[in-house]
Amino acid sequence: MASREYSKRLGALSDRQLQAALDRFGLGRLVSAEPLTNGLFGQNLMLETSSGAYVFRGAPHWNLDGKDDWQFQKERWFSRTVHESPGGPSVPWPYLLDESRDLFGWGFAIQPRLPGEVLALSNPCPYSAPELAEQSRQLGAALAQLHTLTLPEAGRHNPRTDAIEPFATPYVEYVSATLEDLLTRSLAASNATTEADVAWARSVLERARPALELPFTPAVVHLDFGFHNVLFEQRDGHWRLTGVIDWMTAEAGHPECDLSRPLATDRQSRIGAREAFLGAYEAVHPRTSGFEERFRAFMLWERLLIWQYWQAQARNDFGEIGLLQWIEPFVEMLR
């Protein structure tokens, strides 16, 4: 049987293995398999079978000793929760999960492929300003739908109980600990982060602390929401968002934290549709007391994730710029 290396992460997979995976769920005869180009980790394959189109997701984030198998279990829990909530956006369902490792050495998941594609927001951008505004309104409306799905407590998915486990500390302390961890790792990754940068970041959090301490209703938050994780199709000259994908980072938290990534992308990619996105979102979820202060802290969190990751990868995407110079314009973008 044919064997092919689809990505460095998946390694070489044979048609026999993929057919056996399809047989576990009665999904028909394998016709073709191709890697999906979107996605940072190379985990996804597009499978065409005699019964339809599917996305195969393999090589989950787990330790080789098998004691930290969590990614696909979390994705299934959030996919099911959103799918079963009448007010939520469309997600691929069912999320078929096989946790056994006899076929590939790791568990795998298979989902139906939704209509539409991830938009190519390349430079130059292939879409007109009116199209970008329409797409951004759809994006804001989908995020607003997602945040109508509330949960009893803020917390993370526990794969052993298949439930949300509340944070052990108040939410503000969880945010603070997350930022401190990202700052520590940024300092260790390169000399582009200085002690002065860390002091500035801590001052942003301290100014936001009273606003973060205000009561809020926890919601399903994606934490990687944006054009890169939604599907669009064009019909009759209009763009329609057809689904939200990739729930690896999801948790129960403050809904405003999900605004940071799409707004940062709008600025960084010069999309120019910030008001269209915010208008659609805030039509459902108007701003509440302390929004501006919380926004700065949440944007700091989001940008630190990007900054720390690329510093650790030894990428020079930022040139000679330092942490403060790069992040502060995003933190202050709604002023």
Side-chain angles (χ1 to χ4, degrees):
M1 297 289 283
S3 182
R4 176 181 173 187
E5 183 178 283
Y6 292 96
S7 70
K8 293 298 182 184
R9 188 180 186 92
L10 292 175
L13 305 179
S14 70
D15 290 353
R16 188 188 301 276
Q17 286 175 296
L18 294 174
Q19 184 61 62
L22 291 167
D23 290 343
R24 295 277 169 95
F25 301 107
L27 299 178
R29 177 179 55 83
L30 178 66
V31 175
S32 66
E34 293 295 334
L36 287 175
T37 55
N38 58 292
L40 190 60
F41 301 109
Q43 291 183 282
N44 302 325
L45 298 180
M46 167 63 183
L47 303 183
E48 293 283 351
T49 82
S50 57
S51 68
Y54 302 92
V55 174
F56 172 92
R57 198 152 164 81
H61 297 286
W62 61 300
N63 291 341
L64 293 178
D65 62 7
K67 295 180 180 179
D68 191 27
D69 202 354
W70 59 269
Q71 181 190 354
F72 294 166
Q73 293 85 344
K74 178 202 276 193
E75 291 179 351
R76 179 179 60 180
W77 191 93
F78 279 98
S79 295
R80 180 176 59 239
T81 298
V82 177
H83 172 75
E84 293 178 351
S85 302
S90 177
V91 298
W93 187 261
Y95 190 105
L96 304 172
L97 173 60
D98 190 320
E99 297 183 56
S100 62
R101 297 170 182 162
D102 57 318
L103 291 181
F104 305 103
W106 27 255
F108 64 92
I110 301 178
Q111 307 160 77
R113 182 165 183 178
L114 295 175
E117 303 285 345
V118 174
L119 295 179
L121 297 175
S122 54
N123 187 16
C125 183
Y127 310 111
S128 66
E131 285 181 299
L132 290 169
E134 182 176 44
Q135 293 158 355
S136 294
R137 281 191 292 272
Q138 290 273 303
L139 191 70
L143 186 59
Q145 282 182 289
L146 177 62
H147 291 164
T148 63
L149 311 184
T150 60
L151 296 167
E153 296 181 90
R156 289 196 177 115
H157 179 258
N158 183 329
R160 295 168 183 81
T161 61
D162 197 29
I164 295 298
E165 182 176 287
F167 293 126
T169 63
Y171 188 73
V172 64
E173 299 307 330
Y174 160 67
V175 174
S176 176
T178 301
L179 292 176
E180 285 295 332
D181 178 62
L182 289 169
L183 289 168
T184 298
R185 288 192 281 155
S186 295
L187 281 169
S190 77
N191 60 11
T193 303
T194 67
E195 291 293 346
D197 293 331
V198 172
W200 168 78
R202 287 172 175 162
S203 73
V204 172
L205 175 66
E206 287 310 305
R207 289 195 299 273
R209 181 174 288 273
L212 286 166
E213 290 173 340
L214 294 173
F216 68 96
T217 301
V220 173
V221 293
H222 191 283
L223 284 183
D224 194 14
F225 188 85
F227 282 118
H228 59 298
N229 275 327
V230 299
L231 304 174
F232 276 91
E233 67 175 1
Q234 192 175 32
R235 286 187 180 179
D236 301 322
H238 291 284
W239 288 95
R240 181 175 75 95
L241 192 151
T242 58
V244 181
I245 58 175
D246 194 352
W247 297 87
M248 185 183 81
T249 56
E251 62 186 36
H254 201 302
E256 292 170 6
C257 68
D258 262 344
L259 294 171
S260 301
R261 184 147 292 177
L263 287 172
T265 300
D266 184 273
R267 177 187 175 89
Q268 188 168 341
S269 300
R270 296 181 174 87
I271 294 171
R274 183 179 84 185
E275 298 309 319
F277 168 79
L278 278 175
Y281 181 84
E282 293 179 346
V284 181
H285 302 285
R287 297 185 189 187
T288 58
S289 177
F291 172 85
E292 289 78 9
E293 293 81 3
R294 287 189 299 272
F295 175 82
R296 294 184 180 94
F298 288 141
M299 181 60 81
L300 175 64
W301 176 2
E302 191 279 335
R303 291 286 85 180
L304 274 175
L305 282 166
I306 304 299
W307 174 266
Q308 184 277 325
Y309 178 81
W310 290 120
Q311 295 297 328
Q313 300 300 312
R315 288 279 295 267
N316 194 30
D317 292 11
F318 304 99
E320 299 301 317
I321 197 170
L323 181 151
L324 171 60
Q325 292 171 285
W326 187 67
I327 294 182
E328 187 176 33
F330 293 95
V331 168
E332 302 296 340
M333 66 182 292
L334 293 188
R335 174 171 285 183

